[in-house]
Amino acid sequence: MTNIPPPAEELRLLDAELRHLDARRAVLLRRREWLVHVLRTASAQRSVPGAGQMPPVWPVAPGAAAPRTEATAPGVQNVLLLLGGILLTVAAIAFTLVGWGHLGITGRALVLAAVTLAAVSAPVWLLRRGLGSTAEAVAALGMALTVLDAYALHEVAFDGSGGLGYAAAASAVLSAAWAAYGAAADLLVPRSDAGSPTRPDRARAGACPALRLPLPCAVVTAQVPLLLWALAVDAGPHTLTAVLLVTAAADTVVALRPAHAPVRIVGLVGACVAGALGVLSAGWLCWSAAAPAAAARGAVLLLLAAAIALAAARYAPKPEVALCASLAAGLCLVAGAGGVLRAWLPGEWTVPGCLALGIALLTAVRTPLPRPMRQGLVGASLVVQGLAVLWTLPLVAGTLLGPVALIERPWSGTPLDIRDAVFQDAAWPSYATPAPLVLAAVAGVLALAERRAVRRPVSGMGALVLAWAAVVVTPVVLELPCGAGLVADGAVVVVTLGVAEWARRGTGGPSAPALTALVLALVTSVTLALVSLATEAGTITVLLALAALFGVASTRAGLVAFTAPAALAHATALACTAGASAGLRPEHTALLVLVVPAVAALVAARAARAGRSAATVPVEAAGAAAALLALTLAVTDLPVLASVLALCGVVTAGTALRPERRRAGHAAAALFLLAAWVRLAAWEVTTPEAYTLPVSVAALAVGHLRRRRDPSVSSWTAHGAGLSVTLVPSLLAMWGDPHWLRPLLLGTAALAVTLVGARFRLQAPLVLGGGTLALVALHELAPYIAQVVGVLPRWAPPALAGLVLLALGATYEQRLRDARRLREALGRLH
């Protein structure tokens, strides 16, 4: 058997082992710091010529950090080489542009040619000796000198030629020369001498060249020859656009070939910039053309851009690049064909034509193209469809928001048609005729995508929203009569509610499609109610139908949380409309509106009993909003406002009968109190006790019942608020009351409160009653004190105050003891 030590001994052993481990860890950490210091010192000595002595066996300060260098040796070298190259280039420019007068033509040419030849030859010699950075700097200087040579050649031999033409030829020659120079450096310098690894695959395509600058600079220079040539021959906009696209095609070839990374990056940037400029120019030429032939020429340029993008997508090495290129190709195809359609078709049918072309791009899904290209073309189709939907938004927004203007002039008369009712104060968009077809087409595409399980449930929700928008704007586009438009909107409300119930049943609960349909139904109902404001009969009929419809829909368990508040809202509007139709004043209409909070309380109680807790809070919120509207309507008539407050209190008290709504009793009490105060104000009662005594009686009764139920409750919590509500306002009123009745009654009440507090040993009644009694006595003695003060000489009050202070100072310790005893006595009270 293993001898297991007792717990105390085992704990001692564990502590000893932990101490040994901590000591060993400290030794290892010091050793690690020393090794780091040794390595840093050795690295610094290798970078300094002649420094070869070894560090000491153990550092003098093991915990001290090694000195940190602020710049690395390669960084310093590159900065020096860059500055040297810049200075030499500036000197060459100054010599070329300023110093011509000191030498003849032959001397100038020979000097600049000799310097250029030396500058372009030196990098090969430097590379063979392993000086790569210096070779790059000298090569950059040589390329800058070639530019100056081209300028000098123009000044000497081609002074009479055009500047743009010569610049085009010179840039082409320089681009070819720099490319050949970079290739020649690779051939003349062995790969191992150039700093490249000597692995078997070092010569593969895309390896780092001997000189890094010539090839990227050649690609950059190659961007301008064609453009400068086109400008030199005064080419038209179509030729300039074609030149940009051809340049973009050449850059695309450079970006796709397996070259050095900087070359591919420069080619990619050049392709994007030139291609974007060419596409924008071609699009402007195509869409601004007045004749079909001119539009077709612009469309050909867009087709060329699309072909370049498709070729780039086909041979792109990364899927992301292929997707973006095919997306751009699809948009170019649609833009070119759309520009031609714009020249052939009426203006309002341009967008539907482009939409048809965009939908046709979806056929790429069935083609054998690579997956990234198919995704890009589908993305282009989605972009076109999205832009088409945005084109219809002004019409949809005007249809939904236009009837809001009828709130300012309700029952102004039957409009000519539904368009006149909706767009009475807004401009009718002239292009709106095919808008329903656009919305329906996109809705159909999304519905087909949802059926094939693509982006569920987002595609289904989008199809539902767009189909709803198409149906809503159709009556306005067709200029249906006002009654027919109202019926159509009502049918939309019924259908969307049916779709919401069907979607809820299909998922077994509230889902995103069901909620979307419910929101659409609510929005349509609001628009329908606003449009119906044109006529009195139409308003009452529509509001009654909507309230009944949403009330019936509230019988479905999954919809009641939305439909019941909607029914109450429409019922509230119906009550206001009925009051206005009957010629009632707003404060009398408020009594009709109070029917809605009462119904809301009954519906909420029924929903709570049926277990539909999700519908309780929305229904109660709708009822509270209706009650607030009733109070707002009745605020101008105090007697009616008091009645409304009392009825609201009754409804709230009924709600408080439910066990989970007990706290509503506080709101009911507050409403009853406000009703009483408003009624007293209506009777022009100014006595504060008439307002405060009912509150005090109720508060004291509640506090008494609470203390009986829980004797540990403090008297301040139970009775403090109830006593203060009456005593404090009465004291404030007493100081401005010249009569004797209020001080007598207040003093009597304060004496009774004090005696009750002393009898039952309660702190709050004793302190509040005693303080009030003292203030009442002071109020009664104030005239006499004023008379005495008036008789006494002016020096008497200061002298009396000094005597009091002296007496207090003489018995300071005894006074403190008495005050402490008084505090302890009060503390022992409850």
Short mmCIF file of all heavy atoms in Angstrom, two decimals, residues 108 234 671 674:
data_model
loop_
_atom_site.label_atom_id
_atom_site.label_comp_id
_atom_site.label_asym_id
_atom_site.label_seq_id
_atom_site.Cartn_x
_atom_site.Cartn_y
_atom_site.Cartn_z
N ARG A 108 26.34 68.67 -77.34
CA ARG A 108 25.20 68.38 -76.45
C ARG A 108 24.69 66.97 -76.65
O ARG A 108 24.45 66.22 -75.71
CB ARG A 108 24.08 69.39 -76.72
CG ARG A 108 24.43 70.82 -76.34
CD ARG A 108 23.18 71.68 -76.28
NE ARG A 108 22.46 71.71 -77.55
CZ ARG A 108 22.52 72.71 -78.42
NH1 ARG A 108 23.32 73.74 -78.18
NH2 ARG A 108 21.84 72.66 -79.54
N ASP A 234 -6.82 64.47 -84.42
CA ASP A 234 -8.16 65.05 -84.20
C ASP A 234 -9.25 64.01 -84.40
O ASP A 234 -10.25 64.23 -85.12
CB ASP A 234 -8.39 66.25 -85.12
CG ASP A 234 -7.46 67.41 -84.78
OD1 ASP A 234 -7.09 67.52 -83.60
OD2 ASP A 234 -7.10 68.16 -85.70
N LEU A 671 -55.98 58.39 -12.32
CA LEU A 671 -56.99 58.94 -13.23
C LEU A 671 -58.21 59.45 -12.45
O LEU A 671 -58.76 60.52 -12.78
CB LEU A 671 -57.40 57.85 -14.22
CG LEU A 671 -56.36 57.50 -15.29
CD1 LEU A 671 -56.80 56.29 -16.08
CD2 LEU A 671 -56.12 58.67 -16.22
N LEU A 674 -57.18 62.74 -10.88
CA LEU A 674 -57.17 63.81 -11.87
C LEU A 674 -58.59 64.22 -12.26
O LEU A 674 -58.86 65.42 -12.48
CB LEU A 674 -56.38 63.35 -13.10
CG LEU A 674 -54.87 63.22 -12.93
CD1 LEU A 674 -54.25 62.65 -14.20
CD2 LEU A 674 -54.25 64.57 -12.61
#
